[in-house]
């Protein structure tokens, strides 16, 4: 069992490094450095202006730390075949999980220390915490994270009671953390002592003798799907499984009246294909965050114009999704109008992005009049791209298609 988990850890390390080098490439690292630097500059400039000891500071800090605690799942590295080949190894599963605790604690520990370091100036200068208080909080959070992992592993057995619920665990953690902050002088040592006591005491909880393979495998598949969804926003992931689920609350976005076959399928691709929907969402969120950090109308307008162009450029290949689908060519769908249909769908997506970026510029820019004028200029640029640049690119796109 020890050799098995070592081999799986090595294999998982190589796989994660492969995708991480693709995600965190030179351009993305450079963008993160500028974004983080801008955020820290804004943080340093504005923390001096904030008043001391407002009522929501302590619950806000407790919420941020609890959210940090919720990041990171327990990687079991199980395969679906394990329910057959390891089915009679229930007594050895404890040895299987031992190396995984240290492996899974690396990322949460680094994240807890990083977030606590960022919160240190605010907590000490404005919320009346001491450096020693933050040390106890970090210790308590690390103990709570390990406690969470132990409860997850214990829940994989057939027990009389279900030991773990994510929302209940995080809710109790937030409540204890916040209660330890009450009073003029916070006392986080209470939280850290309770977390350590829970971390030690969980080993004495009764545990079933039989391992629930179905529950453990389902948990691992959900974790891998979540990780692959993140990687798929930046690169192709061959192992990613496509899970389609209808969201009735979003049905209003897909119109059926007055649609041609091409406009209908293109709008479904834009809304339901993760490659394009995630791209649009990611670019909008990135632009809003960047504008919020810049706090300057001119830079915000320039970055908004660049993001609108880059988004449109990356959305144009959407038109070729069905080009190699045999049924698309067998059905009586007019191919000559597909370019016009693609342009109509992309127009809606780009105008939506322009609206959200413009709203962010007006909200976060101190120069309101200049911001309003800039949004009008962005609208003009968007129309130029949609009515002059886009038609020519669509024409070139369909000329390159080979069947």
């Amino acid at each position: 069992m020890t050799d098995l988990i070592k081999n799986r850890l090595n294999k998982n390390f190589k796989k994660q490094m492969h995708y991480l080098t693709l995600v965190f490439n030179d351009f993305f690292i450079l963008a993160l450095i500028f974004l983080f630097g801008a955020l820290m500059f804004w943080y340093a400039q504005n923390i001096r202006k904030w008043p001391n000891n407002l009522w929501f500071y302590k619950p806000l800090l407790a919420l941020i730390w609890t959210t940090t605690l919720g990041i990171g799942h327990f990687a079991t590295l199980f395969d679906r075949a394990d329910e057959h080949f390891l089915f009679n190894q229930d007594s050895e599963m404890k040895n299987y999980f031992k190396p995984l605790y240290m492996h899974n604690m690396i990322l949460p520990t680094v994240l807890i220390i990083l977030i606590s370091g960022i919160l240190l100036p605010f907590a000490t200068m404005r919320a009346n915490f001491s450096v020693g208080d933050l040390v106890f909080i970090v210790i308590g959070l690390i103990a709570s994270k390990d406690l969470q992992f132990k409860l997850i592993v214990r829940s994989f057995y057939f027990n009389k009671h279900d030991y773990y619920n994510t929302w209940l665990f995080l809710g109790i953690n937030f409540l204890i953390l916040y209660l330890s902050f009450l009073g003029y002088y916070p006392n986080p040592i209470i939280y850290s002592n309770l977390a350590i006591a829970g971390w030690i005491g969980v080993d004495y909880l009764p545990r079933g003798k039989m391992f629930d393979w179905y529950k453990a495998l389902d948990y691992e598949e959900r974790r891998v799907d979540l990780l692959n969804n993140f990687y798929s926003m930046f690169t192709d992931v061959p192992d990613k499984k496509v899970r389609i689920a209808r969201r009735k609350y979003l049905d209003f976005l897909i119109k059926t009246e007055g649609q041609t076959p091409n406009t209908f399928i293109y709008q479904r691709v834009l809304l339901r294909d993760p490659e394009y929907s995630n791209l649009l969402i990611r670019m909008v969120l990135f632009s809003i965050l960047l504008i919020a950090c810049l706090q300057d109308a001119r830079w915000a307008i320039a970055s908004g114009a660049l993001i609108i162009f880059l988004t449109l450029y990356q959305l144009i290949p959407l038109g070729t999704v069905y080009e190699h689908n045999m049924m698309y060519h067998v059905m009586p769908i007019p191919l000559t109008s597909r370019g016009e249909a693609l342009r109509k769908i992309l127009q809606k997506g780009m105008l939506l992005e322009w609206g959200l970026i413009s709203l962010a510029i007006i909200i976060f820019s101190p120069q309101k009049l200049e911001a309003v004028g800039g949004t009008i200029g962005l609208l003009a640029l968007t129309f130029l791209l949609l009515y002059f640049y886009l038609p020519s690119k669509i024409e070139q796109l369909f000329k390159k298609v080979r069947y």
Side-chain angles (χ1 to χ4, degrees):
M1 194 64 75
T2 304
D3 293 335
L4 175 65
I5 190 58
K6 285 183 178 179
N7 291 333
R8 289 188 175 181
L9 283 172
N10 290 332
K11 183 180 178 181
N12 180 69
F13 177 77
K14 292 177 182 178
K15 179 182 177 182
Q16 302 310 320
M17 289 303 298
H18 168 72
Y19 285 117
L20 288 174
T21 52
L22 294 175
V23 172
F24 293 97
N25 53 54
D26 295 342
F27 297 104
F28 190 61
I29 290 293
L30 190 62
L32 283 179
I33 291 173
F34 278 104
L35 186 62
F36 186 75
L39 182 61
M40 290 299 100
F41 178 76
W42 172 85
Y43 182 46
Q45 293 296 316
N46 287 273
I47 195 173
R48 305 170 187 173
K49 305 174 185 177
W50 297 337
N52 294 329
N53 292 321
L54 292 182
W55 66 269
F56 61 87
Y57 283 174
K58 290 174 181 177
L60 177 62
L61 287 171
L63 180 62
I64 294 173
W65 272 312
T66 303
T67 304
T68 306
L69 189 66
I71 300 174
H73 294 73
F74 187 82
T76 63
L77 306 182
F78 284 138
D79 292 326
R80 179 54 69 175
D82 290 343
E83 63 179 322
H84 303 291
F85 295 103
L86 300 180
F87 186 76
N88 60 347
Q89 299 292 323
D90 292 359
S91 60
E92 298 293 326
M93 295 313 298
K94 188 175 181 180
N95 295 327
Y96 178 90
F97 286 121
K98 275 184 180 179
L100 289 175
Y101 286 111
M102 185 66 68
H103 169 77
N104 284 289
M105 282 299 298
I106 295 174
L107 178 61
T109 301
V110 172
L111 190 61
I112 288 169
I113 295 173
L114 177 63
I115 297 298
S116 299
I118 294 173
L119 293 176
L120 174 63
F122 173 74
T124 54
M125 295 172 60
R126 294 293 174 255
N128 213 28
F129 284 80
S130 66
V131 177
D133 292 335
L134 264 73
V135 172
F136 283 115
I137 291 172
V138 169
I139 294 172
L141 289 171
I142 293 173
S144 295
K145 191 64 185 179
D146 204 15
L147 168 62
Q148 182 187 26
F149 286 160
K150 287 185 176 183
L151 288 172
I152 291 173
V153 171
R154 197 162 289 264
S155 70
F156 291 155
Y157 290 83
F158 286 102
N159 304 303
K160 292 183 179 180
H161 306 284
D162 191 1
Y163 289 127
Y164 180 73
N165 179 278
T166 303
W167 294 109
L168 181 61
F169 177 83
L170 294 177
I172 292 173
N173 185 87
F174 170 80
L175 185 62
I176 297 174
L177 194 60
Y178 174 60
L179 290 176
S180 68
F181 292 170
L182 292 180
Y184 187 76
Y185 292 103
N187 195 9
I189 193 173
I190 298 173
Y191 170 73
S192 62
N193 286 338
L194 289 174
I196 293 172
W199 174 66
I200 296 172
V202 70
D203 292 329
Y204 296 95
L205 290 175
R207 185 182 63 188
K209 294 182 180 180
M210 297 184 64
F211 194 77
D212 190 349
W213 281 102
Y214 291 106
K215 186 174 183 179
L217 289 169
D218 288 341
Y219 177 87
E220 178 64 10
E221 286 185 350
R222 289 196 302 269
R223 184 195 70 84
V224 173
D225 285 344
L226 185 64
L227 192 60
N228 287 339
N229 286 335
F230 170 73
Y231 289 149
S232 66
M233 295 194 311
F234 303 92
T235 185
D236 293 330
V237 182
D239 297 335
K240 182 176 178 294
K241 297 179 180 179
V242 178
R243 299 180 184 272
I244 299 175
R246 182 183 178 187
R247 298 175 177 87
K248 291 185 178 180
Y249 57 89
L250 295 179
D251 282 354
F252 72 95
L253 294 174
I254 298 181
K255 297 181 179 179
T256 55
E257 297 180 358
Q259 297 285 338
T260 65
N262 283 311
T263 56
F264 182 73
I265 62 175
Y266 285 149
Q267 72 175 352
R268 284 177 64 86
V269 171
L270 182 60
L271 293 172
R272 300 192 66 179
D273 190 328
E275 181 177 354
Y276 297 103
S277 60
N278 287 345
L279 170 66
L280 186 59
I281 294 170
R282 184 169 69 247
M283 296 297 279
V284 170
L285 292 178
F286 174 75
S287 63
I288 292 174
L289 184 59
L290 183 61
I291 290 167
C293 294
L294 289 172
Q295 296 281 313
D296 183 86
R298 294 180 181 178
W299 282 104
I301 293 165
S303 62
L306 179 61
I307 289 170
I308 287 174
F309 171 75
L310 291 176
T311 305
L312 179 61
Y313 179 80
Q314 295 178 82
L315 284 177
I316 291 174
L318 179 150
T320 61
V321 170
Y322 287 98
E323 289 301 315
H324 297 283
N325 188 316
M326 182 183 68
M327 296 304 298
Y328 177 73
H329 296 277
V330 171
M331 298 296 290
I333 299 176
L335 299 181
T336 55
S337 62
R338 56 188 173 175
E340 181 65 21
L342 178 61
R343 188 175 66 84
K344 287 181 180 179
I345 298 303
L346 292 183
Q347 280 179 355
K348 295 178 182 179
M350 297 310 301
L351 288 175
L352 175 63
E353 184 182 37
W354 166 81
L356 294 173
I357 291 176
S358 299
L359 188 63
I361 292 174
I362 294 172
I363 292 173
F364 294 110
S365 298
Q367 310 95 331
K368 300 298 181 185
L369 187 61
E370 190 173 350
V372 173
T375 58
I376 297 173
L378 278 181
L379 180 61
L381 173 65
T382 304
F383 276 116
L384 286 174
L385 292 173
L386 292 176
Y387 286 96
F388 293 96
Y389 173 77
L390 182 59
S392 63
K393 295 299 291 184
I394 290 176
E395 185 179 355
Q396 294 175 17
L397 176 71
F398 289 119
K399 284 182 180 180
K400 293 179 182 179
V401 174
R402 296 291 182 270
Y403 302 106

